[in-house]
Amino acid sequence: MSIETNFMGMKIKSPVIVGSCGLTTDMHTLKRIEQAGAGAVILKSVFEEQILQEMSNSLHLSIDGGNSSEAYYYIEEHIQEQSLDKYLNLIRQAKMELDIPIIASVNCVSSSQWVSFASKIEQAGADGVELNMFLLPSDVNMTTDDVERFYEEVIRNIKRAVNIPVSVKISQYFSSLARFAQKLSWMGIANLHIFNRFAAQDINIDKMEIEAANVFSSPSELPHLIRWTAILSNIVHCPLTSGGGVHKPEDVIKLLLTGANTVQVVSAIYENGTEFIQEANERLQSWMKEHDFEKISDFKGRLSVKNNQYTAFHRVQFMKYFAGIK
Ligand SMILES: Cc1cc2nc3c(=O)[nH]c(=O)nc-3n(C[C@H](O)[C@H](O)[C@H](O)COP(=O)(O)O)c2cc1C
């Protein structure tokens, strides 16, 4: 029996991959991630703003056009912690010491000259690059087309700049998500990653201030991911990575059944350690054995939406009989 699969055109030993986060910045943890049996790892993102700043060596960027000061300081701090050279060295070292694919990540909010940095990522030996893209649709002057064009432009530019496979991590916030995801998948990307997660804010009512909300996902996010994995997996023309709300080993099986090619975990590793990866692999193997499956393709996508047929995944409103609650 084998739990091998493909990720961005590479054969990997497990469909469980560790997503971009603070844990994927140091060699010690990366080694533990590999030892625990992850199929691949996505390094912490470098920020487009960071690339531009190092390029121009001066801070004259408009980050969000409005209240940018906090974002600005965050980026400054992040830059001090993690210079681009350090990032490229991490890629080189990880490539020397690990066997699993090492995917670099860039967090981008525009299609500017930062794209040239991607070729340095390639030269450093990264097996691929993931673009963590999000444009908050808060600008009343931007139409749906403007927003979508931004994503397309970035992908076109990055594809011109590198020869390594490109994965695109998107959010669910598109007015026609299925159509747009399909359009992106036609652009020669090697993987579509649903969904990215945002730094969220909370309100401190005593101080009447904005503060950071919990950064980790919760298990209640999984059904949303399952729905979209089921809907998108037969619509997109590239493999799908699903992540956001995976907290139990069984969740990996659920996402494979609904058509994910690979499953990304982050919060579960913060909460349970890298052992979670091993547990997820073992649970997958024991479940496959119980059901007489030899390989992942024997069951992958079995519960996905096929030929646009109407399924339970299309039910979005509460109904008495559906929830079983009066
Ligand atoms: C502390 C922390 C840092 C993160 N940093 C990044 C990042 O740099 N780039 C990125 O694409 N996603 C980042 N993420 C989001 C994760 O990659 C992932 O998409 C998200 O946590 C949802 O997956 P989960 O439910 O398994 O946690 C971060 C998440 C956490 C918790």
Side-chain angles (χ1 to χ4, degrees):
M1 184 213 300
S2 160
I3 59 166
E4 272 182 4
T5 188
N6 285 304
F7 176 56
M8 295 174 77
M10 292 163 272
K11 200 187 249 188
I12 57 172
K13 287 187 183 145
S14 157
V16 179
I17 64 170
V18 177
S20 180
C21 66
L23 297 173
T24 60
T25 54
D26 81 287
M27 276 310 301
H28 177 70
T29 316
L30 290 173
K31 279 185 190 162
R32 293 190 55 180
I33 286 170
E34 176 170 86
Q35 279 157 10
V41 67
I42 303 170
L43 301 180
K44 171 92 184 135
S45 305
V46 276
F47 283 71
E48 167 189 335
E49 292 89 340
Q50 180 183 356
I51 299 168
L52 292 178
Q53 191 192 336
E54 283 204 16
M55 276 175 164
S56 68
N57 223 6
S58 67
L59 281 165
H60 55 80
L61 297 162
S62 161
I63 290 156
D64 64 11
N67 179 17
S68 63
S69 57
E70 212 176 317
Y72 212 58
Y73 288 128
Y74 174 70
I75 288 159
E76 253 192 308
E77 212 174 278
H78 185 76
I79 288 168
Q80 280 161 15
E81 268 173 27
Q82 197 190 11
S83 74
L84 297 183
D85 275 347
K86 229 168 144 185
Y87 196 74
L88 296 173
N89 282 335
L90 177 67
I91 297 173
R92 287 185 200 104
Q93 206 185 344
K95 279 306 296 170
M96 260 183 327
E97 298 187 29
L98 303 178
D99 291 326
I100 55 174
I102 304 297
I103 311 301
S105 167
V106 181
N107 190 319
C108 51
V109 291
S110 83
S111 171
S112 62
Q113 65 273 32
W114 71 263
V115 171
S116 60
F117 180 67
S119 54
K120 292 199 177 152
I121 286 177
E122 181 171 19
Q123 283 155 23
D127 294 292
V129 62
E130 180 166 274
L131 304 179
N132 179 25
M133 289 202 268
F134 184 58
L135 204 57
L136 190 74
S138 59
D139 183 345
V140 290
N141 296 312
M142 278 186 100
T143 65
T144 304
D145 281 349
D146 293 335
V147 174
E148 293 189 358
R149 211 171 299 121
F150 149 73
Y151 289 83
E152 290 159 28
E153 239 176 70
V154 176
I155 294 173
R156 258 193 298 276
N157 288 347
I158 195 100
K159 290 278 304 158
R160 272 198 287 265
V162 296
N163 293 311
I164 47 176
V166 175
S167 170
V168 173
K169 189 176 186 184
I170 58 165
S171 77
Q172 60 268 47
Y173 300 113
F174 295 98
S175 22
S176 182
L177 178 57
R179 189 202 68 88
F180 185 58
Q182 185 179 63
K183 196 170 176 196
L184 293 185
S185 74
W186 276 329
M187 296 189 72
I189 59 175
N191 190 59
L192 186 72
H193 185 161
I194 57 170
F195 290 114
N196 51 18
R197 181 177 174 77
F198 315 117
Q201 284 75 40
D202 199 357
I203 302 291
N204 182 321
I205 58 166
D206 296 320
K207 294 184 187 160
M208 286 191 272
E209 282 175 2
I210 302 168
E211 58 183 25
N214 189 0
V215 291
F216 300 126
S217 69
S218 104
S220 65
E221 292 168 39
L222 188 73
H224 178 72
L225 185 67
I226 288 177
R227 164 181 289 151
W228 281 106
T229 301
I231 292 174
L232 293 181
S233 56
N234 290 313
I235 285 178
V236 296
H237 296 263
C238 65
L240 198 65
T241 294
S242 296
V246 172
H247 286 263
K248 291 200 219 110
E250 290 75 16
D251 298 345
V252 171
I253 302 168
K254 293 176 188 179
L255 290 164
L256 294 172
L257 274 169
T258 43
N261 216 60
T262 43
V263 176
Q264 176 230 247
V265 283
V266 167
S267 298
I269 306 218
Y270 275 97
E271 287 161 357
N272 308 294
T274 50
E275 293 79 2
F276 181 83
I277 303 164
Q278 194 177 337
E279 279 170 37
N281 283 339
E282 285 171 2
R283 185 71 184 96
L284 175 59
Q285 279 160 331
S286 65
W287 178 85
M288 284 171 65
K289 202 169 166 203
E290 270 166 48
H291 293 271
D292 270 338
F293 293 132
E294 281 299 317
K295 50 192 186 313
I296 287 181
S297 57
D298 291 345
F299 64 92
K300 188 178 81 110
R302 197 172 267 216
L303 298 179
S304 62
V305 175
K306 293 173 190 88
N307 307 319
N308 284 329
Q309 96 235 55
Y310 186 87
T311 67
F313 292 119
H314 292 86
R315 288 229 71 94
V316 288
Q317 299 302 338
F318 290 100
M319 295 188 79
K320 196 169 69 177
Y321 69 83
F322 189 56
I325 296 171
K326 287 192 185 163

